[in-house]
């Protein structure tokens, strides 16, 4: 089918038929959607525009046999997660899609891909406004646009000594799924299913990000692991942090399924898993200790669990400790896409 | 080198060192550039945001041995051309870049790529504000952002019967270069050099697009050829057009080099070339006949040649004629990326 037919059938018409109120509400800020040289967006008065872009490549970010709906979900989720980490609300996104010839003719696969993508888009009132399709090795590149009141962005450079360090949700499970799918570790079926859902269908924490405006001093989303991503906050803010790895590794959801399982599942394994992590798409953020109750209230308002796992300090560097506050020596490298 | 080092070395630092006044002026609308979860842009009050996205794939949109600086130029140029076709002025762009391992370590190649990209960006005051790099088959995906006064976009759906049909610049040369590089035709060296410059370093017609606000009734950029792209205007506007293919094919720049050359270079060849075209990145636009002088004045103000090549009519369809207005019967397909 032609490029035009593909977009029309699997994306434009399907979105136009979306039944949710959110999908319809989103159109208020879209002056012109798919079908012209550019889309036209109208941010609300006084708002800044937040922009982020992520590219997903077969064999690098997902397996060739990935469920297409999960792939569609994830491609948008990782971008929405960047909006969440800035405290922005979504306006819309573009999708550029390179498809091998067989995929371009595979209607069920394309249907599932756009189902997964558009369901998440509708949930967050974030319409597809344009993009590109071409023949080529499978590649999805999404650029997402959001808005937020001028001056209220949650940046990486605002952490201060004395701030508390928080994370949302659960950590490490996506990495465990990846290790299991690669055959590096074995997980019981229930644990694998839980972990795999975290790897393939991450939840962008948009409500939490918005609720933390004016409360958090810095934020980042956890895509490459706690060590690497927290490292970006520390570097940008020119501070260090003490991180309780036992508190953090208690946030690994599948640990509960692995009590008594054979394998490498000792305390050191969990600590390394949470530190190296990757693909969790939770938020890590800092806030003044005086805002502790405000953070709890924001998390409750956003219906998103948060856990305090450390404290920002003036001395540079990331200092892992155990649950009793004793220093730990670990070597864990963040996932680097050219590593 | 790591993803972070690659961006820092070849893009962020190089832009920060850009000497042009335009590059510096562009930073006024960029609240936050590369280095956080999102970039933050501040469109001017009352402006709408124009967004476009194009993906370039090795073997599909460029040859593996393409000059890296030309590739960088073209990847941004094709996106800026979409802004031009809406009458928007550039604000910034994101770049997602998938690199095979050998390219990721090839500093001279990356240096040339970013040179070509950033030189065009500086020329149009359009900074790189963010993006993504990953390992993968070579793929460049750029999303570009522009602004324009609300309601003044040059859309595809505004052409009316009686409007004149115009094109900017020269047509067909990029296609001739492609045919020659594929070995389908032979061009003398001077003709090939001229044609190849058009294929590899197209000129986005941003000044013309802006000058045509309030004058043109519709516009599109010519990426897939006159037949296909004009077809989009006709379909969106529910009109037809009569197109003088001899006037249009006189705009093929390399024709002058081919007087007396052997090969397929007859009148029918030129007519087909201009109709099927592709990759010219000129503007095709319509304007009321009463605005003829205003179009000429806008083109002069933008220092961009324009040529009237036809007229919009109520009856649907594209009707090619010769220079005397006699109907021509041709079969020419627009370039389709899944064709």
């Amino acid at each position: 089918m032609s490029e035009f037919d593909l977009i029309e059938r699997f994306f434009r018409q399907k979105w136009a038929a979306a039944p949710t109120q959110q999908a319809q509400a989103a159109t208020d800020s879209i002056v012109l959607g798919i079908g012209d040289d550019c889309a036209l967006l109208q941010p609300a008065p006084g708002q800044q525009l937040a922009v982020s872009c992520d590219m997903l490549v077969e064999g690098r970010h997902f397996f060739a046999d990935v469920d297409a709906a999960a792939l569609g979900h994830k491609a948008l989720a990782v971008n929405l997660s960047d909006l969440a980490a800035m405290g922005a609300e979504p306006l819309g996104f573009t999708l550029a899609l390179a498809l091998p010839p067989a995929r371009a003719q595979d209607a069920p696969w394309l249907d599932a891909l756009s189902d997964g993508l558009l369901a998440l888009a509708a949930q967050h009132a974030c319409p597809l406004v344009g993009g590109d399709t071409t023949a080529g090795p499978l590649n999805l590149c999404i650029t997402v646009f959001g808005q937020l009141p001028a001056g209220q962005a949650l940046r990486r450079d605002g952490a201060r000594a004395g701030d508390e360090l928080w994370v949302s949700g659960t950590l490490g499970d996506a990495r465990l799924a990846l290790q299991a799918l690669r055959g590096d570790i074995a997980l019981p079926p229930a644990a694998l299913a839980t972990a795999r859902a975290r790897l393939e269908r991450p939840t962008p924490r948009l409500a939490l990000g918005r609720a933390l405006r004016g409360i958090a001093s810095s934020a980042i989303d956890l895509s490459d692991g706690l060590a690497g991503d927290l490292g970006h906050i520390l570097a940008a803010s020119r501070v260090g942090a003490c991180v309780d790895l036992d508190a953090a590794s208690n946030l690994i959801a599948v640990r509960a399924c692995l009590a008594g399982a054979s394998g490498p599942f000792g305390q050191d394994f969990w600590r390394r898993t949470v530190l190296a992590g990757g693909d969790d798409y939770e938020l890590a953020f800092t806030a003044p200790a005086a805002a502790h109750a405000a953070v709890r209230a924001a998390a409750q308002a956003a219906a998103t669990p948060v856990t305090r796992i450390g404290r920002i300090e003036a001395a540079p560097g990331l200092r892992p400790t155990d649950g009793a506050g004793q220093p730990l020596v670990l070597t864990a490298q963040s996932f680097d896409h050219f590593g």
Side-chain angles (χ1 to χ4, degrees), chain A:
Chain A
M1 86 194 69
S2 78
E3 175 178 359
F4 182 81
D5 292 341
L6 191 152
I7 295 167
E8 181 67 18
R9 174 169 167 194
F10 294 105
F11 291 99
R12 207 193 61 74
Q13 289 181 359
K14 200 183 281 191
W15 178 267
T20 77
Q21 289 180 311
Q22 281 162 313
Q24 299 306 318
T27 58
D28 292 350
S29 52
I30 308 301
V31 180
L32 189 62
I34 296 171
D36 213 304
D37 295 291
C38 293
L40 296 176
L41 283 71
Q42 183 72 68
Q47 302 278 301
Q48 288 177 342
L49 190 80
V51 174
S52 185
C53 172
D54 276 294
M55 178 177 266
L56 271 64
V57 175
E58 183 174 281
R60 186 80 194 169
H61 300 95
F62 56 91
F63 295 99
D65 63 349
V66 68
D67 173 71
L71 177 59
H73 173 99
K74 184 161 180 175
L76 183 58
V78 303
N79 279 281
L80 289 174
S81 181
D82 284 313
L83 291 186
M86 296 301 275
E89 61 172 317
L91 282 175
F93 71 102
T94 59
L95 167 68
L97 184 59
L99 291 171
R103 288 294 190 205
Q105 302 300 331
D106 184 348
W109 191 88
L110 289 166
D111 215 26
L113 180 78
S114 69
D115 276 350
L117 191 74
L118 296 181
L120 186 65
Q123 188 183 334
H124 292 288
C126 184
L128 177 67
V129 299
D132 195 14
T133 57
T134 177
L138 186 56
N139 183 312
L140 294 89
C141 182
I142 286 183
T143 306
V144 72
F145 321 103
Q147 63 181 2
L148 79 172
Q152 291 197 26
L154 306 179
R155 297 166 57 150
R156 296 180 179 178
D157 59 1
R160 297 292 173 260
D163 284 357
E164 294 179 321
L165 172 64
W166 300 80
V167 292
S168 66
T170 60
L171 298 181
D173 299 291
R175 178 181 170 85
L176 292 174
L178 192 61
Q179 289 180 297
L181 293 171
R182 285 179 175 163
D184 297 337
I185 60 171
L187 291 179
L192 179 59
T194 300
R196 191 165 179 168
R198 291 287 297 153
L199 176 67
E200 294 184 349
R201 289 191 173 266
T203 303
R205 298 298 193 182
L206 287 154
L208 179 64
R210 288 201 292 277
L212 288 172
R213 285 184 203 154
I215 297 172
S217 53
S218 73
I220 194 169
D221 73 320
L222 294 173
S223 55
D224 291 345
L226 188 60
D229 292 319
L230 179 56
H232 292 312
I233 285 185
L234 301 184
S237 301
R238 301 182 185 200
V239 292
C242 181
V243 181
D244 177 350
L245 283 197
D246 289 342
S249 63
N250 281 334
L251 299 174
I252 301 171
V254 303
R255 275 184 77 168
C257 311
L258 290 167
S262 62
F265 308 118
Q267 195 174 41
D268 192 61
F269 176 82
W270 298 122
R271 288 170 176 165
R272 288 178 188 277
T273 294
V274 78
L275 203 54
D279 272 321
D280 289 316
Y281 298 98
E282 297 291 350
L283 297 188
F285 59 97
T286 62
H292 188 96
V295 169
R296 293 267 179 225
Q300 192 159 23
T304 308
V306 297
T307 306
R308 184 167 61 86
I309 60 163
R311 186 175 291 274
I312 301 299
E313 300 173 331
L318 191 160
R319 285 171 290 282
T321 72
D322 64 16
Q326 294 304 305
L328 292 170
V329 178
L330 291 167
T331 57
Q333 296 300 320
S334 167
F335 178 71
D336 187 297
H337 291 288
F338 291 126

